[in-house]
Amino acid sequence: MTPAEQQTSLRNLKLERDATLLYEGLEARERDARRRVAFRTIASNERRHAAIWAARLDSAGVAVPAPPTRPRARIAFILLVARVLGSRAVADLVRTVEGDEQEAYLMQDDPEVASIIDDERTHAEMWDGFARPGRDAGPEPVLIATPTRDQVTSSAADSATVAQLSHASLMDPSASEPWHRGGQSGTLRATIFGVSDGLVSNLSIVMGVVGASASNRFIVVAGIAGLLAGAISMGAGEWISMTSQKELFERQIELEREEIRIMPDREELELAAVYHRKGIPPEDALRLAHRLMADPTVALDTKVREELGLDPDELGSPWGAASSSLLSFAAGAAVPLVPFLVSAGRPAFVGAVILSSIALFAVGAGVSLVTGRHLVYSGVRQVLIGAFAAAVTFGVGSLIGVAVA
């Protein structure tokens, strides 16, 4: 085993052990019996994957690290949110973790890796199934491995396997690639960045007024004004943006529905052309398009996804986005203001700097949950950005204060 292969195997082992701790923790915190069964099954899969890499390292004479006794910060945060809000609230974060595994494995050419990727895709499909309305009312989730390319192309592949592949990859293409879906609903992302915007902007306002040597009263008034103005502006802007976007998407979907109704033959050819451009032979593409067009509902869903690049089930909620932006901005903007509400002068200034620095680091760490970057890197970067903005406004405020005086 080369040094590069050792590093890759060690990284794979770490990823799988993280995932094992994640699903073991979710199982321990889950009250729904069927979800516990699913989480237990996935944890077993992840444990098996970790054993593969541990055995490979051991056979090469490489020292295998001891299993971690506690989850690292990112996994611990997800489990904390799951404990407070339930497993549904962390679905996007878990998809991101699954996406990290798949992205790492996609760069590795190995038969065992291909099998592991199939398992990870199945895990993602389980989360998608839980997210669908009415899913919890059904029977216990059964995790079925996604068929591999060899299974599909071999002469032994039966019709059931082919039908399963057609449903998974054509009717819901995003199900097999969860790293594109993580955070797609935007709620978590909007919340994190809303807090960041509120924190940085109001910290800048407060520091600017402090630099101008204004009294505590003026600082508080400016901070409250910045909080209210920014929160209302963010909420209104997000509502208008999401409403306009949703109306545009709904209009495009309605036009597509009418085209299917009025000229189905032309739409069938367009759909066949889409699949042909993806590499499907013309005859097969035509047969597939004809089969899909037989059901108008399926045809519309497919056309919207393939031609417009939209997911009809995830057009967004204007009110949800607006309220999330408003509240998260207000929460962030309140941080640098609190010390001046309970104190004044230098103690309030020092308290605002310390409290804002801690909050900025926490926001950066939260951003790392979405982006997958290192927690410390994202946290320090966010602190530096906030510090730069505050320093600029404090300097400008100081110049203005001197000039006025």
Side-chain angles (χ1 to χ4, degrees):
M1 180 180 288
T2 65
E5 290 173 338
Q6 291 180 21
Q7 291 300 316
T8 298
S9 296
L10 286 169
R11 182 182 60 186
N12 294 343
L13 178 62
K14 180 182 178 181
L15 286 171
E16 298 297 349
R17 284 177 170 175
D18 280 346
T20 300
L21 291 174
L22 171 62
Y23 282 106
E24 287 177 346
L26 288 174
E27 179 195 351
R29 291 159 176 76
E30 183 57 54
R31 296 181 179 180
D32 185 275
R34 289 165 295 103
R35 282 175 173 256
R36 281 201 304 273
V37 170
F39 294 150
R40 188 181 309 127
T41 303
I42 296 176
S44 177
N45 286 346
E46 303 290 8
R47 205 175 296 113
R48 176 171 52 82
H49 299 164
I52 290 173
W53 300 115
R56 183 173 291 190
L57 288 165
D58 185 63
S59 65
V62 180
V64 179
T69 57
R70 62 181 61 182
R72 60 190 176 101
R74 182 185 186 190
I75 303 301
F77 178 82
I78 296 175
L79 294 177
L80 176 62
V81 175
R83 180 188 291 276
V84 176
L85 302 177
S87 58
R88 290 181 181 84
V90 297
D92 282 347
L93 293 177
V94 175
R95 284 194 182 103
T96 303
V97 173
E98 295 281 1
D100 289 345
E101 292 183 83
Q102 292 193 44
E103 282 185 302
Y105 285 138
L106 283 174
M107 302 299 176
Q108 303 171 36
D109 185 13
D110 188 304
E112 281 186 314
V113 165
S115 174
I116 292 174
I117 289 178
D118 288 337
D119 283 346
E120 301 298 345
R121 286 173 173 169
T122 304
H123 301 169
E125 289 167 7
M126 180 277 292
W127 281 99
D128 292 339
F130 278 140
R132 296 187 188 105
R135 178 63 181 87
D136 288 344
E140 287 188 357
V142 179
L143 299 180
I144 304 172
T146 305
T148 64
R149 180 180 296 182
D150 291 340
Q151 288 176 310
V152 175
T153 56
S154 69
S155 58
D158 57 20
S159 58
T161 302
V162 175
Q164 181 187 0
L165 177 71
S166 297
H167 177 75
S169 63
L170 297 181
M171 303 314 299
D172 189 7
S174 60
S176 62
E177 297 184 354
W179 57 91
H180 295 310
R181 294 177 55 84
Q184 204 170 51
S185 64
T187 303
L188 174 69
R189 187 163 40 198
T191 300
I192 292 176
F193 292 127
V195 172
S196 176
D197 287 345
L199 180 55
V200 173
S201 63
N202 219 34
L203 174 62
S204 300
I205 291 174
V206 169
M207 290 298 105
V209 179
V210 170
S213 301
S215 67
N216 197 75
R217 178 185 175 187
F218 285 120
I219 295 171
V220 171
V221 170
I224 292 176
L227 186 156
L228 293 176
I232 293 172
S233 175
M234 283 284 291
E238 193 68 24
W239 187 88
I240 292 172
S241 175
M242 287 295 295
T243 299
S244 301
Q245 175 181 283
K246 188 175 182 182
E247 289 173 349
L248 172 62
F249 290 164
E250 288 173 343
R251 175 60 176 165
Q252 291 178 322
I253 293 172
E254 187 59 33
L255 288 173
E256 197 64 47
R257 180 183 287 109
E258 283 299 300
E259 290 177 352
I260 291 174
R261 184 182 66 84
I262 296 173
M263 42 187 173
D265 293 340
R266 177 179 171 182
E267 293 300 301
E268 183 175 317
L269 288 175
E270 288 183 2
L271 188 56
V274 169
Y275 288 123
H276 178 51
R277 285 195 297 270
K278 292 184 176 184
I280 298 178
E283 298 80 4
D284 294 338
L286 286 168
R287 279 195 297 270
L288 177 58
H290 182 74
R291 183 175 179 180
L292 292 172
M293 292 293 293
D295 185 334
T297 301
V298 173
L300 178 62
D301 185 85
T302 305
K303 292 276 288 182
V304 168
R305 294 176 188 274
E306 295 291 348
E307 290 190 2
L308 303 181
L310 300 177
D311 185 343
D313 300 323
E314 295 189 7
L315 298 184
S317 168
W319 285 110
S323 59
S324 176
S325 294
L326 187 150
L327 294 175
S328 59
F329 185 97
V335 172
L337 182 60
V338 168
F340 292 95
L341 294 175
V342 299
S343 184
R346 185 176 182 82
F349 173 78
V350 173
V353 171
I354 294 175
L355 195 60
S356 297
S357 298
I358 294 172
L360 283 165
F361 185 88
V363 168
V367 171
S368 74
L369 297 173
V370 178
T371 62
R373 298 298 296 268
H374 195 279
L375 183 147
V376 175
Y377 170 82
S378 296
V380 171
R381 180 179 62 180
Q382 191 71 22
V383 172
L384 292 177
I385 291 173
F388 176 77
V392 170
T393 55
F394 181 84
V396 172
S398 298
L399 292 175
I400 293 175
V402 171
V404 171

